[in-house]
């Protein structure tokens, strides 16, 4: 399932399953990607994918590609939805379901 890239939170809410939006701290060139918010491709549940925090917390996700261009995004790390048990990852802007 291709990611539905939202620019605003209202677009994100309206997009439904598979939507994703980047969340930043700061502005301009000094902005820091803190997390993505996604809607589960399986059940539409909203959840965060933490990337950076000011305390150097490692969340186990590695971002490849341009983190500001979600269509080229690859996240190294398994995403899991406890509500519907969907498991997968994001590669080149596409959700890939894992068959565990």
């Amino acid at each position: 399932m291709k990611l539905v890239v939202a620019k605003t939170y209202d677009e994100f809410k309206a997009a439904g399953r598979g939507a994703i939006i980047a969340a930043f701290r700061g502005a301009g060139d000094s902005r820091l990607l803190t997390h993505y918010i996604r809607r589960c491709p399986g059940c539409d549940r909203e959840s965060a994918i933490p990337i950076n925090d000011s305390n150097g917390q490692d969340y186990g996700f590695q971002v490849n590609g341009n983190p500001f261009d979600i269509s080229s995004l690859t996240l190294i790390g398994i995403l899991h939805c406890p509500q519907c048990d969907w498991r997968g990852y994001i590669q080149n802007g596409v959700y890939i379901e894992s068959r565990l």
Side-chain angles (χ1 to χ4, degrees), residues 25 33-36 48-63 75-79:
R25 184 177 358 170
L33 172 68
T34 57
H35 62 283
Y36 293 102
I49 305 169
I51 304 297
N52 292 306
D53 96 6
S54 60
N55 298 323
Q57 173 70 40
D58 178 8
Y59 291 103
F61 288 104
Q62 178 183 346
V63 179
L75 280 182
I76 309 301
I78 294 294
L79 303 170

Side-chain angles (χ1 to χ4, degrees), residues 34-97:
T34 57
H35 62 283
Y36 293 102
I37 303 171
R38 73 175 184 110
R39 298 182 73 101
C40 176
C43 68
D44 200 32
R45 180 177 186 257
E46 188 176 312
S47 64
I49 305 169
I51 304 297
N52 292 306
D53 96 6
S54 60
N55 298 323
Q57 173 70 40
D58 178 8
Y59 291 103
F61 288 104
Q62 178 183 346
V63 179
N64 289 339
N66 181 350
F68 302 105
D69 176 12
I70 295 174
S71 64
S72 70
L73 178 68
T74 296
L75 280 182
I76 309 301
I78 294 294
L79 303 170
H80 175 242
C81 178
Q83 184 167 317
C84 71
D85 207 34
W86 185 93
R87 295 169 192 264
Y89 54 96
I90 298 171
Q91 182 175 19
N92 296 323
V94 176
Y95 280 108
I96 309 293
E97 188 169 4

